[in-house]
Amino acid sequence: DRSEKYAARDFAQNYLKSIKKNGIIVTFGDNDTFPLWYAQEVEGTRTDVRVLNYTLSGMYWYVEQLYNKLYDSDPLPFTLTKDFYGLGKDSYGVMDRSNEYLEVTEVLALMRDHPERFTHSTPQGDVMVVPTKRFKITLDIPALLDAGVITMEQAAQIDPVIKWEINKNVLYRHELMILDILGTNKFIRDINIMNPGYIRRVFPLIDKYCIQDAMNYKILPYMPFVFNQEIGGFDQVRFTDYSADYYLNGVDGEQLKWGNLDADIYVDPISLNMGTVQRQNFVVLADDLWDKGETDKAVALINMADSLFPKSNFPRDQYCIHMIETYVKIMGKEVGLEMWNDIYDYYSQYWVYLNSFGRDKASGVQSLKFKTAQILYTLADIAQKSFGDTERADQIMETLKSYGFQI
């Protein structure tokens, strides 16, 4: 019975509400795109946000739509005209003609204005090429300040030129498109992305130039690093300051909704994954806040995570192992030990189940047994180091050895 489950609608609205006005959100598949479209088309939620599906942008007809205004969302920023993404323009060659880093917009403008200079004949037909593998984006600092993307302090500190190199001989339609948008936009309009890995092949620096902004990752014109005096080096900031307020207080005085996933209902695999990811976000953010001295917010986020995504619907499994240390630090050793016990109970029972298979079927679960053994070994290590429970750690190790496993 899923009649009381609203995860698709609520999560979609939460994603959209977290984005700055007229921003862009890059999605990838069905499950992270269709709910956003529903929220905009049916519920009328944040129609100023442009949803850009990276997979569909491999299709010429989809890219053509991005040149148009949609509801309250402005057209996306392009240097190339839409015919460069048209039918039959599925891929572009990449040639390493320059040892210098070239401005993205200047390269694309040359291709746009002088296509004959970048067209090569092959046995399969004419192919247009991108004439460099080395790109740069020169920031317009005054424009970034006017748009509120950076502060005056950041303007004085950031590198005004971002350089990178791509190790590819071909750019497919969707890859050329994202290169075009990044270079033309110059970080003026907010670009958010569900998963930074989507565009790593085109912009290899993405992991250094993004930050988690509540539920989304925001692409930045600078690297969000702060100096850590304890280690004498720099740490990457994981969350924006806005993230905690967003999760704890919602938007415009209205608390966020989370699909009723804390009720006694069936939580399907997709909703389970969505809730698990957000539970992890709550805990990682809480850990950051605790280290900054914002202890009340940290405790509130842990309590909210346990309330919204209870263990009755979201089992404490391998994805919770990294949370044990955070629970001990913020909520105390007893609460952390409860987390450890829940995970151990889950996998100790699973271990017995996997070892119940007879000889003819045992080979089919061998990889699962090895993975479970690794998890139990990790739990034994935590039991000893975090809780001083050498007896429990030794017991786990002896159990694994009795089944012929020794890691």
Side-chain angles (χ1 to χ4, degrees), residues 173-245:
R173 181 184 285 111
H174 63 292
E175 294 173 327
L176 181 63
M177 176 211 68
I178 203 69
L179 177 67
D180 193 348
I181 291 173
L182 288 174
T184 307
N185 184 58
K186 292 182 180 290
F187 305 95
I188 300 297
R189 186 172 174 184
D190 264 22
I191 299 181
N192 306 268
I193 191 165
M194 293 281 192
N195 186 336
Y198 296 164
I199 65 172
R200 193 174 292 125
R201 284 164 55 89
V202 179
F203 186 49
L205 300 179
I206 182 63
D207 296 312
K208 294 181 179 180
Y209 280 86
C210 75
I211 190 171
Q212 189 153 354
D213 189 36
M215 294 176 70
N216 305 301
Y217 288 90
K218 179 180 291 191
I219 303 176
L220 300 172
Y222 57 88
M223 293 185 285
F225 285 82
V226 293
F227 186 73
N228 185 329
Q229 292 184 343
E230 292 184 6
I231 65 173
F234 289 88
D235 289 334
Q236 185 165 4
V237 180
R238 292 185 287 189
F239 287 88
T240 61
D241 293 337
Y242 167 69
S243 297
D245 183 64

Side-chain angles (χ1 to χ4, degrees), residues 251-313:
V251 179
D252 296 330
E254 183 178 349
Q255 288 287 336
L256 303 175
K257 297 178 182 179
W258 295 97
N260 205 28
L261 296 179
D262 56 338
D264 183 20
I265 58 175
Y266 170 67
V267 179
D268 62 276
I270 300 300
S271 298
L272 179 65
N273 179 65
M274 291 164 56
T276 297
V277 169
Q278 292 310 312
R279 179 177 63 182
Q280 292 177 11
N281 285 344
F282 276 69
V283 175
V284 174
L285 178 56
D287 189 68
D288 278 3
L289 291 170
W290 183 271
D291 291 343
K292 293 177 181 178
E294 300 184 56
T295 55
D296 290 344
K297 289 183 179 180
V299 172
L301 280 168
I302 294 291
N303 287 331
M304 185 177 285
D306 288 341
S307 174
L308 295 173
F309 312 109
K311 60 184 180 181
S312 56
N313 287 345

